[in-house]
Amino acid sequence: MPTTITPQRRALGEALRRYRKAAALTAEEVEERFGWHPGKTNRVERGFRVPVRAELQELFKLYRVPAAKRKELLELLEMARRRQAVSHTAEFGNAYLTMEREAAEICHFDDVLIHGLLQTEDYARALVTQEGVEHAELRIQERLARQKRVLGAAEPPHLRVLLGEHVTMQAVGGPKVLRDQLIRLVEAAATDTTEVRLIPWRAGAHTGLGNSFTLLHLERPARLGQVYSEGITGATYLHHDDEVAAYRTAFEHLWNTAAADHAESMRILGRRIDDIGEAHGSGTVA
């Protein structure tokens, strides 16, 4: 099974690479010092391999890592070594699920689909089953469990979801399923930890058109930023500060200038809920 490169693995490896270079040591010299097999240093620094605690302590000494930084790196190690439950999600999405569980803030933008954390069971089923994927029902139940685990946590992340108005018309699963899903968005937006805004059609062209992405911010043990963008057969993970900053700027620009404010976004959702109800005999929503 391919190794899942979590942000903690990557951050730990990059820190060790910086300290090794500052100590003017080559990867081969480190391997010779510790009796490691060739290539292990590179795998550790790229996040494919996580050292044990004793190895990390020896690296501290060899690299002369400042005492003030050692606690942070030991916390990174602890989080990097955590084993995650087996998921039926596509392998390329497992690192995202790890980050999502540990994020302090999640900012998501999508023109046409609802984020998995806010999907109703029927909406999720309509999406997953149309893909014809193996273990479809297990994936649906895992998605619902994921919602409880993340949003129902003692300290849930601050979730900001930015959607194109088109989501109110894309009848995933049919009118009733869409209506129930839109009601779920309204309910989520009424909580203290979730914000939902819509970019109305009248906004015209904007930087988000044709894109979807998720920004994750992790506070512990170090401030880590990550951008995740998913495709059909793979995903893109961006973690360099300049890349994350560019996506953060784009998200904030869309949130503050292209999107309707909270009140108007809720009015758009409410009108669409009522329209579907009247057209299909489902009544209205107060």
Side-chain angles (χ1 to χ4, degrees), residues 3-10 46-49 95 226 237:
T3 300
T4 297
I5 309 298
T6 66
Q8 291 85 5
R9 281 174 172 256
R10 183 179 288 113
R46 293 171 60 201
F48 288 97
R49 179 77 179 268
Q226 189 90 17
Y237 291 87

Side-chain angles (χ1 to χ4, degrees), residues 24 61 92 108 133 176 187 216 258 261 267 282:
K61 297 175 186 176
F92 61 76
H108 176 77
V133 298
K176 183 180 184 306
E187 292 172 345
L216 300 107
D261 63 14
R267 281 194 289 271
S282 300

Side-chain angles (χ1 to χ4, degrees), residues 6 19-20 37 56 67 89 95 110 115 120-121 141 149 181 232 236 241 245 252 257 274 284:
T6 66
Y19 283 118
R20 175 177 61 78
H37 58 75
L56 186 58
T89 298
D110 200 310
H115 190 273
T120 64
E121 181 173 353
Q141 296 309 312
R149 182 171 57 247
Q181 176 62 74
I232 294 176
T236 299
D241 290 345
E252 297 297 344
T257 62
D274 289 347
T284 61

Side-chain angles (χ1 to χ4, degrees), residues 14 223-225 227 238-248:
E14 290 182 349
R223 294 174 65 86
L224 302 176
V227 177
L238 304 174
H239 66 282
H240 292 298
D241 290 345
D242 57 343
E243 295 173 320
V244 175
Y247 275 84
R248 168 67 71 175

Side-chain angles (χ1 to χ4, degrees), residues 3-177:
T3 300
T4 297
I5 309 298
T6 66
Q8 291 85 5
R9 281 174 172 256
R10 183 179 288 113
L12 178 62
E14 290 182 349
L16 291 175
R17 181 187 295 111
R18 289 196 301 271
Y19 283 118
R20 175 177 61 78
K21 290 185 175 181
L25 292 167
T26 66
E28 292 74 18
E29 287 172 331
V30 175
E31 289 157 4
E32 183 177 353
R33 178 73 64 92
F34 293 124
W36 288 354
H37 58 75
K40 179 174 177 177
T41 302
N42 181 264
R43 289 182 62 78
V44 167
E45 292 178 353
R46 293 171 60 201
F48 288 97
R49 179 77 179 268
V50 180
V52 298
R53 189 180 182 91
E55 289 175 326
L56 186 58
Q57 296 279 18
E58 290 301 313
L59 288 172
F60 288 164
K61 297 175 186 176
L62 181 61
Y63 297 166
R64 298 181 180 178
V65 176
K69 294 295 295 182
R70 295 186 182 192
K71 181 180 179 181
E72 179 181 303
L73 293 179
L74 284 169
E75 287 187 32
L76 268 177
L77 175 70
E78 179 184 344
M79 298 178 79
R81 293 189 66 83
R82 287 180 184 171
R83 291 186 177 274
Q84 305 297 339
V86 176
S87 168
H88 291 89
T89 298
E91 179 62 31
F92 61 76
N94 284 334
Y96 172 80
L97 296 181
T98 299
M99 292 184 286
E100 189 181 72
R101 281 189 287 267
E102 298 166 355
E105 181 184 54
I106 301 171
C107 298
H108 176 77
F109 167 75
D110 200 310
D111 251 348
V112 294
L113 290 177
I114 309 297
H115 190 273
L117 286 176
L118 297 182
Q119 290 174 6
T120 64
E121 181 173 353
D122 288 338
Y123 188 94
R125 179 170 288 107
L127 290 175
V128 172
T129 55
Q130 65 86 28
E131 297 172 1
V133 298
E134 190 178 7
H135 308 300
E137 194 60 34
L138 282 172
R139 284 185 57 180
I140 295 163
Q141 296 309 312
E142 285 177 352
R143 188 166 301 183
L144 298 177
R146 164 188 159 205
Q147 294 174 1
K148 293 180 180 179
R149 182 171 57 247
V150 175
L151 300 181
E155 296 184 10
H158 179 202
L159 177 62
R160 299 166 69 197
V161 177
L162 183 56
L163 302 166
E165 188 175 353
H166 188 80
V167 300
T168 69
M169 301 297 294
Q170 190 75 25
V172 175
K176 183 180 184 306
V177 172

Side-chain angles (χ1 to χ4, degrees), residues 194-267:
T194 299
E195 297 181 77
V196 177
R197 288 191 181 183
L198 296 181
I199 298 179
W201 283 317
R202 67 173 183 270
H206 57 77
T207 56
L209 281 176
N211 295 295
S212 67
F213 60 88
T214 304
L215 277 160
L216 300 107
H217 179 78
L218 289 74
E219 289 284 358
R220 294 186 58 257
R223 294 174 65 86
L224 302 176
Q226 189 90 17
V227 177
Y228 175 78
S229 181
E230 185 175 306
I232 294 176
T233 60
T236 299
Y237 291 87
L238 304 174
H239 66 282
H240 292 298
D241 290 345
D242 57 343
E243 295 173 320
V244 175
Y247 275 84
R248 168 67 71 175
T249 298
F251 183 87
E252 297 297 344
H253 177 74
L254 290 170
W255 184 269
N256 292 311
T257 62
D261 63 14
H262 170 80
E264 179 60 20
S265 295
M266 294 305 103
R267 281 194 289 271

